[in-house]
Amino acid sequence: MQVKKYDVIIVGAGFSGAVVAEQFASQMNKKVLVLEQRNHVAGNCFDKIDSNGVRIHQYGPHLFHTRHVNVWNYLSQFTKWHKYEHKVLGSIDGKLAPVPFNLNSLHVFFPKELASILERKLIAKYGDGAKVPILELKKTDDTQLQELAKFIYDKLFVNYTCKQWGCKPEEIAPEVTARVPVVLSRDDRYFHDKYQGVPDKGYTALVKNILMHKNITTKLSCTASELVKLDIINKKILVSGEEFNGVLVYTGMLDELFNYSLGELPYRSLKFKFEQHDKEYYQPATTVNYPNEHKYTRITEFKHLQPNLSGIQQSTTIVKEFPLDYCRHDLCKSVPYYPILNDANNSKYLDYECLIKEFCNVLIAGRLAKYKYFNMDDTVLNAIEAFEEFRGKYNE
Ligand code: UDP
């Protein structure tokens, strides 16, 4: 591979790799080579139309939402949006109620009078519209609110979290369960950000558009880990054994990049089971969570996302998500979807981060390389900021 003609090599063609590539190409007129190990771009956001005529998300449901106008405007250069606001129901004790648990959910499970008392107490203590993480609500000193917190924890969080992470809510970083707080309003949406939607032609088309710049070359089915190495002693980037003097942008796992020299960073993986059903709709909302039943955590029905797109009326496609431990030696478990955030893992990550910081021409971005539970908008924002920081140093 003729790498000498490129100024920047990027490992990974997911959102972060694509955005950093586009920034180097458009803002600094650099020649960029993007290496992607899969046979498609868009990373875990990859979507496609299935035989039912429904656009499915191959690696699980992706719903775009952001409060950052700059992220929304940046992506809007590359896609139009289909207006969509995500709704999730939880299946609890044979009833379906809004998730996040909110004031409407309260009235599903408790008799009217008690629900009204609890509602008044919650609002008096935390404020109208407040978002209270379950682990915070559990600390309340009010006996009735304590019982409510126990109900929500037992019925919605503890078993779902055990399935999803293999541990209890207290054993992972509190920000993980705080992503789905108890919401003191009647707003049934899953996200409350100002900007929400799905790319009208899908995420794959969006990422392809980002990579469309004339200065960018993308190579698919290319295992970068065999090609790109770091010379730890001399602090050099090696490509096919030769020194590369340009910039390396790495969006994969840092432990892999350093050949696991400081041990493995734990990740959580998923197995997806897609099913087609001969009915117009399978369930009443895009996603139904099953905290306490089944081995899967949730079912997503893609038709709800873009109903006008669905080709065959009397058929629908769903996916069930089965969480698993990540294992790089087992093909069925070898996609790292989530970093497992806790003190021990974060500290191991920081050791790897120290190693990467010694390479001034290596930039890292994305959920894997940063070992952060980024949403898509965080990923885009982080990629833009990582590029800006690099450009700042470069121009000094
Ligand atoms: N969670 C839960 N029950 C639910 C939904 C979420 O216990 O019905 C917890 C669980 O620990 C989960 C975390 O909240 O991993 C974050 O949920 P989110 O929906 O943000 O997860 P993602 O969509 O990123 O998989």
Side-chain angles (χ1 to χ4, degrees), residues 4 22 38 45 78 83 91 143 146 148 191 194 266-267 271-272 279 298 303 317 344 354 360 362 372:
K4 289 251 160 69
E22 190 280 330
R38 287 173 171 158
C45 304
F78 306 102
K83 196 171 159 43
S91 168
T143 320
Q146 264 171 17
L148 173 65
F191 308 111
K194 179 164 178 194
Y267 294 89
K271 188 180 85 184
F272 295 101
K279 46 170 82 171
R298 56 189 177 191
K303 230 175 161 180
T317 309
C354 282
C360 50
V362 179
K372 291 241 167 69

Side-chain angles (χ1 to χ4, degrees), residues 53 83 128 142 197 231 233 264 314:
K83 196 171 159 43
D128 197 5
D142 181 287
D231 176 348
I233 297 169
E264 294 195 24
Q314 285 307 321

Side-chain angles (χ1 to χ4, degrees), residues 11 228-230 232 248 250 252-260 352 356 362 364:
V11 176
V228 181
K229 307 255 184 221
L230 294 182
I232 314 275
L248 172 68
Y250 185 78
M253 299 179 290
L254 281 196
D255 55 352
E256 186 182 20
L257 182 64
F258 287 105
N259 210 12
Y260 309 98
Y352 275 114
I356 202 77
V362 179
I364 56 167

Side-chain angles (χ1 to χ4, degrees), residues 3 44 53 113-114 116 122 130 136 151 165-166 174 182 191 193 197 201 207-208 211 221 232 249 274 309 352:
V3 293
N44 289 342
E113 209 169 304
L114 178 57
S116 301
L122 284 166
E136 280 304 309
F151 175 86
W165 300 102
V182 176
F191 308 111
D193 291 327
K201 299 271 187 305
V207 174
K208 276 186 184 165
L211 290 166
S221 307
I232 314 275
V249 179
F274 286 84
L309 194 87
Y352 275 114

Side-chain angles (χ1 to χ4, degrees), residues 261-319:
S261 55
L262 305 177
E264 294 195 24
L265 285 169
Y267 294 89
R268 200 73 177 147
S269 190
L270 291 168
K271 188 180 85 184
F272 295 101
K273 187 164 178 275
F274 286 84
E275 293 173 4
Q276 295 185 343
H277 291 267
D278 292 333
K279 46 170 82 171
E280 191 178 0
Y281 279 100
Y282 182 84
Q283 60 188 27
T286 310
T287 299
V288 177
N289 287 4
Y290 292 90
N292 311 310
E293 307 146 65
H294 312 298
K295 284 194 171 153
Y296 49 85
T297 48
R298 56 189 177 191
I299 297 182
T300 295
E301 182 175 25
F302 294 99
K303 230 175 161 180
H304 289 282
L305 292 174
Q306 277 175 294
N308 56 345
L309 194 87
S310 37
I312 305 167
Q313 281 246 307
Q314 285 307 321
S315 188
T316 188
T317 309
I318 61 160
V319 67

